[in-house]
Amino acid sequence: MEYKLAVIGSGSSILIYRAIGVETVAVTSEEEARQKLEELVGRHFDDEQQTPEYAAIFVEENFYQNFPDDLIGRLAKKPLPAIVPVPSPIPGKESFAMKRLSKIV
């Protein structure tokens, strides 16, 4: 089984991911980001017989931080796909994603 990688974020900031072969999903709002995340995770998320399509889905932190806690909690219970916040392109702002990634590493 070969897994995919995806990134959800604003159009211009996710282009670099496409250059390295990651599936990109451009969004403009938190609601759209949540909907796209749920689509990528799949309708059969709670079906143990269903193999996940994605190993990891990266989400820009400005969208990730506004996801409902129950969504993050439900997704965190499964080993795949890993939902990982990545830094948003906001200069000078302390990055929630960088702190989280540092903890994981």
Side-chain angles (χ1 to χ4, degrees), residues 2-53:
E2 195 170 302
Y3 294 104
K4 297 179 183 178
L5 298 175
V7 63
I8 299 172
S10 57
S12 60
S13 67
I14 61 174
L15 291 177
I16 189 72
Y17 295 99
R18 186 178 300 154
I20 60 171
V22 175
E23 183 176 328
T24 57
V25 180
V27 296
T28 58
S29 70
E30 288 90 14
E31 179 62 25
E32 186 180 14
R34 184 192 59 74
Q35 289 173 347
K36 294 298 184 181
L37 175 62
E38 289 178 349
E39 287 174 20
L40 292 175
V41 168
R43 293 184 303 256
H44 306 290
F45 181 72
D46 294 321
D47 183 354
E48 295 297 327
Q49 303 299 320
Q50 185 74 15
T51 302
E53 188 174 352

Side-chain angles (χ1 to χ4, degrees), residues 35-97:
Q35 289 173 347
K36 294 298 184 181
L37 175 62
E38 289 178 349
E39 287 174 20
L40 292 175
V41 168
R43 293 184 303 256
H44 306 290
F45 181 72
D46 294 321
D47 183 354
E48 295 297 327
Q49 303 299 320
Q50 185 74 15
T51 302
E53 188 174 352
Y54 294 88
I57 301 172
F58 302 96
V59 181
E60 278 188 13
E61 66 185 330
N62 56 320
F63 298 117
Y64 181 95
Q65 286 183 300
N66 294 307
F67 288 160
D69 290 337
D70 64 319
L71 173 63
I72 298 299
R74 187 170 52 108
L75 295 173
K77 290 180 182 178
K78 298 283 189 172
L80 293 178
I83 311 302
V84 182
V86 293
S88 298
I90 301 172
K93 181 181 175 196
E94 188 172 9
S95 176
F96 158 81

